[in-house]
């Protein structure tokens, strides 16, 4: 039984820009504290892959996630992050079934 909507996105930062991208994404996480529909927003890195940033999100449903992208603050953060991103390698939408912390 589906309990939420999940999204995993793998970003490749331009060389030397990962830290700046991480900082912007963490700023986005703070802004999402106001969204009750955002259950989880986690920013991760792997030291073996110095340009990759992975964002894992869990929302009550896909509609709330989509609506968040229309928020002016969210749009501004996305625009600040875009120049730092070389590519979005993978984005996976998921039906969240359950687990610890949910």
């Amino acid at each position: 039984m589906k309990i939420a909507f999940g999204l995993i996105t793998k970003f490749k930062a331009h060389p030397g820009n990962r830290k700046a991208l991480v900082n912007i994404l963490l700023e986005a996480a703070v802004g999402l504290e106001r969204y009750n529909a955002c259950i989880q927003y986690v920013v991760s890195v792997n030291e073996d892959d110095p340009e990759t940033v992975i964002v894992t999100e869990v929302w009550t449903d896909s509609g709330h996630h989509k609506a968040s992208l229309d928020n002016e603050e969210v749009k501004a953060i996305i625009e600040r992050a875009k120049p730092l991103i070389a590519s979005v390698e993978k984005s996976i939408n998921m039906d969240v079934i359950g687990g610890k912390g949910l």
Side-chain angles (χ1 to χ4, degrees):
M1 171 174 62
K2 175 182 170 179
I3 62 168
F5 167 76
L7 180 67
I8 298 174
T9 306
K10 181 178 180 181
F11 298 98
K12 282 287 192 179
H14 288 290
N17 285 292
R18 183 173 79 174
K19 184 176 182 179
L21 179 57
V22 164
N23 288 337
I24 290 171
L25 294 171
L26 289 173
E27 182 182 327
V30 170
L32 288 171
E33 290 291 332
R34 295 187 296 272
Y35 283 80
N36 290 335
C38 182
I39 299 166
Q40 185 178 67
Y41 185 94
V42 178
V43 179
S44 303
V45 297
N46 179 330
E47 293 309 316
D48 293 333
D49 191 354
E51 308 308 334
T52 296
V53 180
I54 296 174
V55 176
T56 306
E57 302 175 60
V58 177
W59 292 78
T60 54
D61 58 62
S62 61
H64 279 94
H65 172 261
K66 191 173 193 174
S68 76
L69 300 174
D70 289 329
N71 177 285
E72 292 305 318
E73 287 179 44
V74 172
K75 285 181 180 180
I77 287 174
I78 290 169
E79 288 304 312
R80 286 180 37 227
K82 277 183 179 180
L84 305 174
I85 299 169
S87 65
V88 178
E89 285 196 355
K90 189 178 248 184
S91 189
I92 303 170
N93 293 345
M94 302 171 295
D95 290 336
V96 177
I97 306 302
K100 185 177 186 321
L102 300 171

